[in-house]
Amino acid sequence: MNYTERIMPQRSLIKTSLIDKISEFIPEAQIRQDEPMSKHSSFRIGGPADAVVTVCSEEELSKLLKLLHAEDARYMLIGNGSDLLFADEGYRGVIVKLGGDFEHIELLEAVDDVIRAGAARMLSSTANFARDNALAGLEFASGIPGTLGGALFMNAGAYGGEMKDVVESVTLMKSDGSSVYELSGEEMEFAYRDSVLQHNDDIAIYARVRLQRDDKEAITERMNELAEKRRTKQPVNFPSAGSTFKRPVGGYAAALIEEAGLKGRTVGGAQVSEKHSGFVINIGGATSKDVRELIDIVAQEVEQNSGIKLEPEVRIIDAE
């Protein structure tokens, strides 16, 4: 899942001076040039980005953001790439990922029902940590394949739960790297697949999640039940970005797609899943062009059949 993207009018010379400047404060092992974005998205699709830079501390992130702004560089912060479709041509700019300190998780001693976790922590791992500490409320997130930061950006949800139900507060860094501040859960303005992060360029780096004490075995049982639902109802054995379309008012995308006779429709290596028509999947060798074309076909034919216009939930990222 991605957090934010910033596009400036002029293209930086990514492969020369900018990389040299980044290398002054980011270890070379954390910088990858011409990195295929297919390695960084659950669709397994996407050409090379000019550079993928992993930052492991607030200091590194702040310095990098300040430099990117000073250089008017195009950049994008991503999580696990579980709702992204990158272009076949790749991404002209810098992809920023969080790691290191941003993967830390802890149970706060002063309040034993609150977890503090970094934005790079996988959401499933966060749910498992909660379970291991006999804390309930994150079971819905146990099968979502994104990071905590991406979940905050999208107000991720499943099976009746969503992030707005459990987030107490979020620590953010200003997009220019100048300062760090905190927002309450209410100030995050969570809505259906939306949050304040989609309307400013600032970056979530940590979150406090308030849960409820419960029996560990009962939590485990609920998580196992949801995992079984996913296995039986979703095409988890194929690369995808999860639900391809947002839930429309007054209906469900999967039902509308099926009613339009689109289940199994294929363009190249992209297919409307025969198991769950709400998913467009990569059945092998799908290109970004294949997926985009299939998304357009589905949206057009559903609107013709039902009068309802579907909006993509997957975030489509152009090369330039």
Side-chain angles (χ1 to χ4, degrees), residues 202-231:
D202 297 344
I203 295 166
I205 54 176
Y206 300 103
R208 287 167 60 111
V209 178
R210 182 173 292 278
L211 303 169
Q212 304 85 40
R213 285 283 160 194
D214 199 354
D215 179 69
K216 183 178 175 181
E217 290 187 4
I219 297 169
T220 301
E221 184 176 346
R222 289 194 293 270
M223 288 172 69
N224 289 341
E225 288 174 358
L226 294 181
E228 182 61 21
K229 283 185 179 180
R230 287 188 178 91
R231 282 192 295 268

PDB file of all heavy atoms in Angstrom, residues 202-231:
ATOM      1  N   ASP A 202       2.076  14.510   4.101  1.00  0.00           N
ATOM      2  CA  ASP A 202       2.815  14.080   5.283  1.00  0.00           C
ATOM      3  C   ASP A 202       2.809  12.557   5.415  1.00  0.00           C
ATOM      4  O   ASP A 202       1.979  11.858   4.816  1.00  0.00           O
ATOM      5  CB  ASP A 202       2.260  14.754   6.530  1.00  0.00           C
ATOM      6  CG  ASP A 202       2.434  16.266   6.481  1.00  0.00           C
ATOM      7  OD1 ASP A 202       3.229  16.754   5.649  1.00  0.00           O
ATOM      8  OD2 ASP A 202       1.760  16.970   7.262  1.00  0.00           O
ATOM      9  N   ILE A 203       3.741  12.059   6.216  1.00  0.00           N
ATOM     10  CA  ILE A 203       4.038  10.627   6.240  1.00  0.00           C
ATOM     11  C   ILE A 203       3.823  10.045   7.635  1.00  0.00           C
ATOM     12  O   ILE A 203       4.396  10.527   8.624  1.00  0.00           O
ATOM     13  CB  ILE A 203       5.497  10.393   5.792  1.00  0.00           C
ATOM     14  CG1 ILE A 203       5.660  10.818   4.324  1.00  0.00           C
ATOM     15  CG2 ILE A 203       5.899   8.944   5.985  1.00  0.00           C
ATOM     16  CD1 ILE A 203       7.096  10.946   3.898  1.00  0.00           C
ATOM     17  N   ALA A 204       3.004   9.005   7.729  1.00  0.00           N
ATOM     18  CA  ALA A 204       2.810   8.293   8.986  1.00  0.00           C
ATOM     19  C   ALA A 204       4.050   7.457   9.278  1.00  0.00           C
ATOM     20  O   ALA A 204       4.510   6.701   8.416  1.00  0.00           O
ATOM     21  CB  ALA A 204       1.581   7.398   8.900  1.00  0.00           C
ATOM     22  N   ILE A 205       4.596   7.603  10.489  1.00  0.00           N
ATOM     23  CA  ILE A 205       5.797   6.828  10.828  1.00  0.00           C
ATOM     24  C   ILE A 205       5.561   5.872  12.009  1.00  0.00           C
ATOM     25  O   ILE A 205       6.228   4.842  12.104  1.00  0.00           O
ATOM     26  CB  ILE A 205       7.007   7.737  11.088  1.00  0.00           C
ATOM     27  CG1 ILE A 205       6.705   8.799  12.144  1.00  0.00           C
ATOM     28  CG2 ILE A 205       7.451   8.401   9.786  1.00  0.00           C
ATOM     29  CD1 ILE A 205       7.911   9.666  12.506  1.00  0.00           C
ATOM     30  N   TYR A 206       4.629   6.202  12.906  1.00  0.00           N
ATOM     31  CA  TYR A 206       4.269   5.320  14.015  1.00  0.00           C
ATOM     32  C   TYR A 206       2.776   5.472  14.304  1.00  0.00           C
ATOM     33  O   TYR A 206       2.168   6.479  13.946  1.00  0.00           O
ATOM     34  CB  TYR A 206       5.035   5.674  15.305  1.00  0.00           C
ATOM     35  CG  TYR A 206       6.526   5.576  15.197  1.00  0.00           C
ATOM     36  CD1 TYR A 206       7.301   6.729  15.060  1.00  0.00           C
ATOM     37  CD2 TYR A 206       7.185   4.352  15.224  1.00  0.00           C
ATOM     38  CE1 TYR A 206       8.686   6.663  14.951  1.00  0.00           C
ATOM     39  CE2 TYR A 206       8.557   4.271  15.116  1.00  0.00           C
ATOM     40  CZ  TYR A 206       9.310   5.433  14.974  1.00  0.00           C
ATOM     41  OH  TYR A 206      10.669   5.351  14.861  1.00  0.00           O
ATOM     42  N   ALA A 207       2.219   4.479  14.970  1.00  0.00           N
ATOM     43  CA  ALA A 207       0.824   4.583  15.397  1.00  0.00           C
ATOM     44  C   ALA A 207       0.647   3.892  16.740  1.00  0.00           C
ATOM     45  O   ALA A 207       1.330   2.905  17.049  1.00  0.00           O
ATOM     46  CB  ALA A 207      -0.110   3.969  14.371  1.00  0.00           C
ATOM     47  N   ARG A 208      -0.259   4.442  17.519  1.00  0.00           N
ATOM     48  CA  ARG A 208      -0.705   3.797  18.767  1.00  0.00           C
ATOM     49  C   ARG A 208      -2.065   3.183  18.506  1.00  0.00           C
ATOM     50  O   ARG A 208      -2.988   3.859  18.048  1.00  0.00           O
ATOM     51  CB  ARG A 208      -0.783   4.817  19.895  1.00  0.00           C
ATOM     52  CG  ARG A 208       0.580   5.274  20.412  1.00  0.00           C
ATOM     53  CD  ARG A 208       0.451   6.499  21.291  1.00  0.00           C
ATOM     54  NE  ARG A 208      -0.392   6.270  22.445  1.00  0.00           N
ATOM     55  CZ  ARG A 208       0.048   6.225  23.709  1.00  0.00           C
ATOM     56  NH1 ARG A 208       1.333   6.378  23.964  1.00  0.00           N
ATOM     57  NH2 ARG A 208      -0.782   6.046  24.718  1.00  0.00           N
ATOM     58  N   VAL A 209      -2.183   1.888  18.800  1.00  0.00           N
ATOM     59  CA  VAL A 209      -3.404   1.132  18.543  1.00  0.00           C
ATOM     60  C   VAL A 209      -3.968   0.655  19.876  1.00  0.00           C
ATOM     61  O   VAL A 209      -3.283  -0.049  20.630  1.00  0.00           O
ATOM     62  CB  VAL A 209      -3.111  -0.067  17.619  1.00  0.00           C
ATOM     63  CG1 VAL A 209      -4.372  -0.890  17.398  1.00  0.00           C
ATOM     64  CG2 VAL A 209      -2.544   0.414  16.282  1.00  0.00           C
ATOM     65  N   ARG A 210      -5.204   1.047  20.181  1.00  0.00           N
ATOM     66  CA  ARG A 210      -5.832   0.653  21.444  1.00  0.00           C
ATOM     67  C   ARG A 210      -6.747  -0.550  21.214  1.00  0.00           C
ATOM     68  O   ARG A 210      -7.633  -0.520  20.353  1.00  0.00           O
ATOM     69  CB  ARG A 210      -6.632   1.804  22.054  1.00  0.00           C
ATOM     70  CG  ARG A 210      -7.278   1.451  23.399  1.00  0.00           C
ATOM     71  CD  ARG A 210      -7.915   2.640  24.077  1.00  0.00           C
ATOM     72  NE  ARG A 210      -6.925   3.618  24.521  1.00  0.00           N
ATOM     73  CZ  ARG A 210      -6.239   3.517  25.660  1.00  0.00           C
ATOM     74  NH1 ARG A 210      -6.430   2.477  26.469  1.00  0.00           N
ATOM     75  NH2 ARG A 210      -5.373   4.444  26.004  1.00  0.00           N
ATOM     76  N   LEU A 211      -6.524  -1.598  21.985  1.00  0.00           N
ATOM     77  CA  LEU A 211      -7.264  -2.848  21.817  1.00  0.00           C
ATOM     78  C   LEU A 211      -7.950  -3.222  23.125  1.00  0.00           C
ATOM     79  O   LEU A 211      -8.012  -2.425  24.056  1.00  0.00           O
ATOM     80  CB  LEU A 211      -6.299  -3.934  21.340  1.00  0.00           C
ATOM     81  CG  LEU A 211      -5.564  -3.584  20.022  1.00  0.00           C
ATOM     82  CD1 LEU A 211      -4.434  -4.562  19.743  1.00  0.00           C
ATOM     83  CD2 LEU A 211      -6.540  -3.550  18.865  1.00  0.00           C
ATOM     84  N   GLN A 212      -8.477  -4.453  23.199  1.00  0.00           N
ATOM     85  CA  GLN A 212      -9.186  -4.893  24.392  1.00  0.00           C
ATOM     86  C   GLN A 212      -8.633  -6.242  24.848  1.00  0.00           C
ATOM     87  O   GLN A 212      -8.332  -7.114  24.022  1.00  0.00           O
ATOM     88  CB  GLN A 212     -10.695  -5.052  24.120  1.00  0.00           C
ATOM     89  CG  GLN A 212     -11.379  -3.797  23.585  1.00  0.00           C
ATOM     90  CD  GLN A 212     -11.259  -3.678  22.088  1.00  0.00           C
ATOM     91  OE1 GLN A 212     -11.376  -4.658  21.366  1.00  0.00           O
ATOM     92  NE2 GLN A 212     -11.020  -2.467  21.609  1.00  0.00           N
ATOM     93  N   ARG A 213      -8.523  -6.403  26.137  1.00  0.00           N
ATOM     94  CA  ARG A 213      -8.073  -7.680  26.687  1.00  0.00           C
ATOM     95  C   ARG A 213      -9.082  -8.781  26.377  1.00  0.00           C
ATOM     96  O   ARG A 213     -10.293  -8.569  26.441  1.00  0.00           O
ATOM     97  CB  ARG A 213      -7.896  -7.570  28.203  1.00  0.00           C
ATOM     98  CG  ARG A 213      -6.658  -6.812  28.627  1.00  0.00           C
ATOM     99  CD  ARG A 213      -5.427  -7.672  28.481  1.00  0.00           C
ATOM    100  NE  ARG A 213      -4.211  -6.879  28.417  1.00  0.00           N
ATOM    101  CZ  ARG A 213      -3.056  -7.362  28.040  1.00  0.00           C
ATOM    102  NH1 ARG A 213      -2.971  -8.627  27.658  1.00  0.00           N
ATOM    103  NH2 ARG A 213      -1.976  -6.608  28.013  1.00  0.00           N
ATOM    104  N   ASP A 214      -8.562  -9.955  26.010  1.00  0.00           N
ATOM    105  CA  ASP A 214      -9.437 -11.091  25.700  1.00  0.00           C
ATOM    106  C   ASP A 214      -8.628 -12.370  25.861  1.00  0.00           C
ATOM    107  O   ASP A 214      -7.396 -12.345  26.019  1.00  0.00           O
ATOM    108  CB  ASP A 214      -9.985 -10.966  24.275  1.00  0.00           C
ATOM    109  CG  ASP A 214     -11.221 -11.819  24.028  1.00  0.00           C
ATOM    110  OD1 ASP A 214     -11.596 -12.592  24.926  1.00  0.00           O
ATOM    111  OD2 ASP A 214     -11.801 -11.721  22.931  1.00  0.00           O
ATOM    112  N   ASP A 215      -9.299 -13.478  25.764  1.00  0.00           N
ATOM    113  CA  ASP A 215      -8.650 -14.778  25.850  1.00  0.00           C
ATOM    114  C   ASP A 215      -7.857 -15.045  24.569  1.00  0.00           C
ATOM    115  O   ASP A 215      -8.386 -14.905  23.460  1.00  0.00           O
ATOM    116  CB  ASP A 215      -9.698 -15.875  26.048  1.00  0.00           C
ATOM    117  CG  ASP A 215      -9.073 -17.245  26.110  1.00  0.00           C
ATOM    118  OD1 ASP A 215      -8.373 -17.534  27.100  1.00  0.00           O
ATOM    119  OD2 ASP A 215      -9.255 -18.013  25.147  1.00  0.00           O
ATOM    120  N   LYS A 216      -6.588 -15.408  24.722  1.00  0.00           N
ATOM    121  CA  LYS A 216      -5.715 -15.616  23.560  1.00  0.00           C
ATOM    122  C   LYS A 216      -6.263 -16.695  22.623  1.00  0.00           C
ATOM    123  O   LYS A 216      -6.201 -16.568  21.394  1.00  0.00           O
ATOM    124  CB  LYS A 216      -4.311 -15.984  24.031  1.00  0.00           C
ATOM    125  CG  LYS A 216      -3.305 -16.158  22.908  1.00  0.00           C
ATOM    126  CD  LYS A 216      -1.919 -16.465  23.466  1.00  0.00           C
ATOM    127  CE  LYS A 216      -0.938 -16.758  22.347  1.00  0.00           C
ATOM    128  NZ  LYS A 216       0.412 -17.080  22.873  1.00  0.00           N
ATOM    129  N   GLU A 217      -6.791 -17.769  23.192  1.00  0.00           N
ATOM    130  CA  GLU A 217      -7.319 -18.855  22.358  1.00  0.00           C
ATOM    131  C   GLU A 217      -8.543 -18.394  21.561  1.00  0.00           C
ATOM    132  O   GLU A 217      -8.726 -18.787  20.409  1.00  0.00           O
ATOM    133  CB  GLU A 217      -7.665 -20.067  23.227  1.00  0.00           C
ATOM    134  CG  GLU A 217      -6.445 -20.772  23.797  1.00  0.00           C
ATOM    135  CD  GLU A 217      -6.810 -22.065  24.514  1.00  0.00           C
ATOM    136  OE1 GLU A 217      -8.011 -22.441  24.484  1.00  0.00           O
ATOM    137  OE2 GLU A 217      -5.905 -22.692  25.096  1.00  0.00           O
ATOM    138  N   ALA A 218      -9.370 -17.560  22.171  1.00  0.00           N
ATOM    139  CA  ALA A 218     -10.544 -17.045  21.464  1.00  0.00           C
ATOM    140  C   ALA A 218     -10.118 -16.131  20.305  1.00  0.00           C
ATOM    141  O   ALA A 218     -10.702 -16.185  19.212  1.00  0.00           O
ATOM    142  CB  ALA A 218     -11.440 -16.279  22.433  1.00  0.00           C
ATOM    143  N   ILE A 219      -9.105 -15.325  20.535  1.00  0.00           N
ATOM    144  CA  ILE A 219      -8.580 -14.451  19.472  1.00  0.00           C
ATOM    145  C   ILE A 219      -8.021 -15.298  18.334  1.00  0.00           C
ATOM    146  O   ILE A 219      -8.283 -15.042  17.154  1.00  0.00           O
ATOM    147  CB  ILE A 219      -7.486 -13.517  20.032  1.00  0.00           C
ATOM    148  CG1 ILE A 219      -8.062 -12.587  21.091  1.00  0.00           C
ATOM    149  CG2 ILE A 219      -6.852 -12.699  18.902  1.00  0.00           C
ATOM    150  CD1 ILE A 219      -7.010 -11.814  21.873  1.00  0.00           C
ATOM    151  N   THR A 220      -7.250 -16.316  18.700  1.00  0.00           N
ATOM    152  CA  THR A 220      -6.652 -17.212  17.694  1.00  0.00           C
ATOM    153  C   THR A 220      -7.727 -17.895  16.864  1.00  0.00           C
ATOM    154  O   THR A 220      -7.606 -18.004  15.640  1.00  0.00           O
ATOM    155  CB  THR A 220      -5.775 -18.272  18.385  1.00  0.00           C
ATOM    156  OG1 THR A 220      -4.746 -17.624  19.133  1.00  0.00           O
ATOM    157  CG2 THR A 220      -5.149 -19.206  17.357  1.00  0.00           C
ATOM    158  N   GLU A 221      -8.783 -18.326  17.521  1.00  0.00           N
ATOM    159  CA  GLU A 221      -9.883 -18.998  16.806  1.00  0.00           C
ATOM    160  C   GLU A 221     -10.542 -18.057  15.802  1.00  0.00           C
ATOM    161  O   GLU A 221     -10.827 -18.451  14.668  1.00  0.00           O
ATOM    162  CB  GLU A 221     -10.912 -19.513  17.810  1.00  0.00           C
ATOM    163  CG  GLU A 221     -12.044 -20.317  17.165  1.00  0.00           C
ATOM    164  CD  GLU A 221     -13.015 -20.899  18.175  1.00  0.00           C
ATOM    165  OE1 GLU A 221     -12.688 -20.910  19.380  1.00  0.00           O
ATOM    166  OE2 GLU A 221     -14.104 -21.338  17.751  1.00  0.00           O
ATOM    167  N   ARG A 222     -10.777 -16.811  16.204  1.00  0.00           N
ATOM    168  CA  ARG A 222     -11.381 -15.845  15.277  1.00  0.00           C
ATOM    169  C   ARG A 222     -10.457 -15.578  14.089  1.00  0.00           C
ATOM    170  O   ARG A 222     -10.915 -15.482  12.936  1.00  0.00           O
ATOM    171  CB  ARG A 222     -11.702 -14.539  16.012  1.00  0.00           C
ATOM    172  CG  ARG A 222     -12.861 -14.661  16.988  1.00  0.00           C
ATOM    173  CD  ARG A 222     -13.373 -13.304  17.436  1.00  0.00           C
ATOM    174  NE  ARG A 222     -12.415 -12.568  18.247  1.00  0.00           N
ATOM    175  CZ  ARG A 222     -12.343 -12.648  19.567  1.00  0.00           C
ATOM    176  NH1 ARG A 222     -13.148 -13.460  20.243  1.00  0.00           N
ATOM    177  NH2 ARG A 222     -11.459 -11.915  20.235  1.00  0.00           N
ATOM    178  N   MET A 223      -9.165 -15.475  14.332  1.00  0.00           N
ATOM    179  CA  MET A 223      -8.207 -15.255  13.253  1.00  0.00           C
ATOM    180  C   MET A 223      -8.175 -16.444  12.295  1.00  0.00           C
ATOM    181  O   MET A 223      -8.117 -16.277  11.070  1.00  0.00           O
ATOM    182  CB  MET A 223      -6.824 -14.970  13.828  1.00  0.00           C
ATOM    183  CG  MET A 223      -6.716 -13.607  14.481  1.00  0.00           C
ATOM    184  SD  MET A 223      -5.156 -13.317  15.363  1.00  0.00           S
ATOM    185  CE  MET A 223      -3.994 -13.243  14.003  1.00  0.00           C
ATOM    186  N   ASN A 224      -8.228 -17.637  12.850  1.00  0.00           N
ATOM    187  CA  ASN A 224      -8.232 -18.840  12.010  1.00  0.00           C
ATOM    188  C   ASN A 224      -9.494 -18.916  11.156  1.00  0.00           C
ATOM    189  O   ASN A 224      -9.437 -19.333   9.995  1.00  0.00           O
ATOM    190  CB  ASN A 224      -8.109 -20.092  12.879  1.00  0.00           C
ATOM    191  CG  ASN A 224      -6.724 -20.245  13.492  1.00  0.00           C
ATOM    192  OD1 ASN A 224      -5.757 -19.648  13.013  1.00  0.00           O
ATOM    193  ND2 ASN A 224      -6.623 -21.032  14.548  1.00  0.00           N
ATOM    194  N   GLU A 225     -10.620 -18.515  11.717  1.00  0.00           N
ATOM    195  CA  GLU A 225     -11.880 -18.521  10.961  1.00  0.00           C
ATOM    196  C   GLU A 225     -11.814 -17.554   9.782  1.00  0.00           C
ATOM    197  O   GLU A 225     -12.252 -17.879   8.667  1.00  0.00           O
ATOM    198  CB  GLU A 225     -13.043 -18.140  11.883  1.00  0.00           C
ATOM    199  CG  GLU A 225     -13.421 -19.212  12.883  1.00  0.00           C
ATOM    200  CD  GLU A 225     -14.479 -18.739  13.872  1.00  0.00           C
ATOM    201  OE1 GLU A 225     -14.882 -17.553  13.783  1.00  0.00           O
ATOM    202  OE2 GLU A 225     -14.902 -19.545  14.721  1.00  0.00           O
ATOM    203  N   LEU A 226     -11.247 -16.368  10.011  1.00  0.00           N
ATOM    204  CA  LEU A 226     -11.122 -15.391   8.928  1.00  0.00           C
ATOM    205  C   LEU A 226     -10.127 -15.867   7.873  1.00  0.00           C
ATOM    206  O   LEU A 226     -10.345 -15.654   6.677  1.00  0.00           O
ATOM    207  CB  LEU A 226     -10.688 -14.032   9.492  1.00  0.00           C
ATOM    208  CG  LEU A 226     -11.697 -13.333  10.400  1.00  0.00           C
ATOM    209  CD1 LEU A 226     -11.149 -11.995  10.873  1.00  0.00           C
ATOM    210  CD2 LEU A 226     -13.026 -13.124   9.673  1.00  0.00           C
ATOM    211  N   ALA A 227      -9.048 -16.515   8.315  1.00  0.00           N
ATOM    212  CA  ALA A 227      -8.068 -17.046   7.368  1.00  0.00           C
ATOM    213  C   ALA A 227      -8.701 -18.108   6.478  1.00  0.00           C
ATOM    214  O   ALA A 227      -8.434 -18.167   5.261  1.00  0.00           O
ATOM    215  CB  ALA A 227      -6.872 -17.628   8.119  1.00  0.00           C
ATOM    216  N   GLU A 228      -9.562 -18.938   7.052  1.00  0.00           N
ATOM    217  CA  GLU A 228     -10.242 -19.971   6.267  1.00  0.00           C
ATOM    218  C   GLU A 228     -11.201 -19.347   5.268  1.00  0.00           C
ATOM    219  O   GLU A 228     -11.315 -19.807   4.118  1.00  0.00           O
ATOM    220  CB  GLU A 228     -10.984 -20.919   7.208  1.00  0.00           C
ATOM    221  CG  GLU A 228     -11.701 -22.067   6.498  1.00  0.00           C
ATOM    222  CD  GLU A 228     -10.763 -22.977   5.728  1.00  0.00           C
ATOM    223  OE1 GLU A 228      -9.554 -22.996   6.036  1.00  0.00           O
ATOM    224  OE2 GLU A 228     -11.241 -23.667   4.795  1.00  0.00           O
ATOM    225  N   LYS A 229     -11.898 -18.280   5.661  1.00  0.00           N
ATOM    226  CA  LYS A 229     -12.780 -17.581   4.721  1.00  0.00           C
ATOM    227  C   LYS A 229     -11.993 -17.056   3.529  1.00  0.00           C
ATOM    228  O   LYS A 229     -12.436 -17.147   2.382  1.00  0.00           O
ATOM    229  CB  LYS A 229     -13.482 -16.418   5.425  1.00  0.00           C
ATOM    230  CG  LYS A 229     -14.631 -16.818   6.332  1.00  0.00           C
ATOM    231  CD  LYS A 229     -15.329 -15.585   6.889  1.00  0.00           C
ATOM    232  CE  LYS A 229     -16.501 -15.963   7.778  1.00  0.00           C
ATOM    233  NZ  LYS A 229     -17.185 -14.766   8.325  1.00  0.00           N
ATOM    234  N   ARG A 230     -10.818 -16.478   3.813  1.00  0.00           N
ATOM    235  CA  ARG A 230      -9.994 -15.949   2.716  1.00  0.00           C
ATOM    236  C   ARG A 230      -9.557 -17.069   1.775  1.00  0.00           C
ATOM    237  O   ARG A 230      -9.592 -16.922   0.561  1.00  0.00           O
ATOM    238  CB  ARG A 230      -8.761 -15.224   3.282  1.00  0.00           C
ATOM    239  CG  ARG A 230      -9.086 -13.880   3.907  1.00  0.00           C
ATOM    240  CD  ARG A 230      -7.816 -13.124   4.279  1.00  0.00           C
ATOM    241  NE  ARG A 230      -8.150 -11.812   4.824  1.00  0.00           N
ATOM    242  CZ  ARG A 230      -8.334 -11.564   6.101  1.00  0.00           C
ATOM    243  NH1 ARG A 230      -8.225 -12.549   6.980  1.00  0.00           N
ATOM    244  NH2 ARG A 230      -8.633 -10.345   6.510  1.00  0.00           N
ATOM    245  N   ARG A 231      -9.113 -18.171   2.359  1.00  0.00           N
ATOM    246  CA  ARG A 231      -8.623 -19.288   1.538  1.00  0.00           C
ATOM    247  C   ARG A 231      -9.718 -19.851   0.642  1.00  0.00           C
ATOM    248  O   ARG A 231      -9.467 -20.233  -0.506  1.00  0.00           O
ATOM    249  CB  ARG A 231      -8.055 -20.396   2.423  1.00  0.00           C
ATOM    250  CG  ARG A 231      -6.661 -20.123   2.954  1.00  0.00           C
ATOM    251  CD  ARG A 231      -6.047 -21.363   3.560  1.00  0.00           C
ATOM    252  NE  ARG A 231      -6.774 -21.799   4.748  1.00  0.00           N
ATOM    253  CZ  ARG A 231      -6.465 -21.406   5.983  1.00  0.00           C
ATOM    254  NH1 ARG A 231      -5.463 -20.570   6.185  1.00  0.00           N
ATOM    255  NH2 ARG A 231      -7.152 -21.843   7.019  1.00  0.00           N
TER     256      ARG A 231
END
